[in-house]
Amino acid sequence: YNGRLDAIQAGVLHAKLAHLAKWNLQRADRAAEYNRLLINNEAVVLPHEPSWSRAVYHLYVIRTKERDGMISHLKEAGIGTGIHYPIPLHLQKAYAPLNYRVADCPVAELVAAEIISLPMFPHLTADQQATVAEEIMAFTSKASRKRMHAEENPLVLAQLTA
């Protein structure tokens, strides 16, 4: 693509760039709050930030084995989510000439099937984050109870894993 900006887009971008450093810090603060709220939830894998780097948290992406159910639950609660990068890189059309197949990169495929982007923007409030975390906790405790019940009842287990 030849992605040139017109004058209006360039003016908006110029005005926004002055706020970028502050917004990046605010998103990092919001990510720390999500981490604090969700750290004890064993059904959720939080983002990893290596000590040698500093994420800007354009997205805050968690992982869960119950992705589709969690997305539905959050949607019913009025919370928007996203699935960014749902197709692993090796299965993208651009890489087709390399002849990768499903199962060639199992970790990438597992992660792609489990990711959920939670609401993340600089002006996200603590109350909004608390609501997101409460709904995630409500869903995962409900899903955990279903799994425990399924383990006691082979017929239910077969239906859940089908």
Side-chain angles (χ1 to χ4, degrees):
Y1 295 103
N2 186 356
R4 297 180 185 167
L5 299 176
D6 61 39
I8 293 173
Q9 290 172 323
V12 169
L13 180 59
H14 180 71
K16 285 182 151 191
L17 281 174
H19 302 284
L20 184 60
K22 178 178 77 173
W23 289 343
N24 285 345
L25 288 173
Q26 288 173 317
R27 281 193 304 275
D29 288 345
R30 301 315 174 267
E33 180 65 4
Y34 270 138
N35 289 344
R36 186 185 72 74
L37 292 167
L38 298 171
I39 191 74
N40 294 319
N41 189 326
E42 294 179 9
V44 173
V45 178
L46 302 178
H48 173 69
E49 185 175 343
S51 61
W52 46 264
S53 71
R54 185 171 161 193
V56 295
Y57 291 101
H58 168 67
L59 301 171
Y60 186 86
V61 182
I62 63 170
R63 292 176 39 208
T64 182
K65 294 182 185 316
E66 308 277 348
R67 177 179 74 183
D68 295 339
M70 184 179 289
I71 289 172
S72 293
H73 177 86
L74 293 173
K75 183 178 181 180
E76 288 174 18
I79 299 168
T81 60
I83 302 175
H84 293 86
Y85 317 110
I87 301 171
L89 191 61
H90 69 287
L91 298 176
Q92 296 280 341
K93 189 175 181 180
Y95 292 92
L98 298 176
N99 296 315
Y100 283 111
R101 304 275 183 250
V102 172
D104 283 348
C105 298
V107 174
E109 293 168 29
L110 172 71
V111 169
E114 293 181 347
I115 57 175
I116 302 174
S117 297
L118 298 182
M120 173 55 79
F121 51 94
H123 305 294
L124 186 65
T125 68
D127 286 343
Q128 290 169 323
Q129 286 188 282
T131 299
V132 172
E134 287 167 10
E135 291 299 334
I136 288 172
M137 297 301 268
F139 172 78
T140 56
S141 67
K142 180 179 171 184
S144 177
R145 286 191 305 274
K146 279 185 179 179
R147 275 193 306 280
M148 287 182 355
H149 176 69
E151 290 169 1
E152 296 169 5
N153 185 337
L155 183 59
V156 174
L157 181 60
Q159 290 173 343
L160 286 176
T161 57

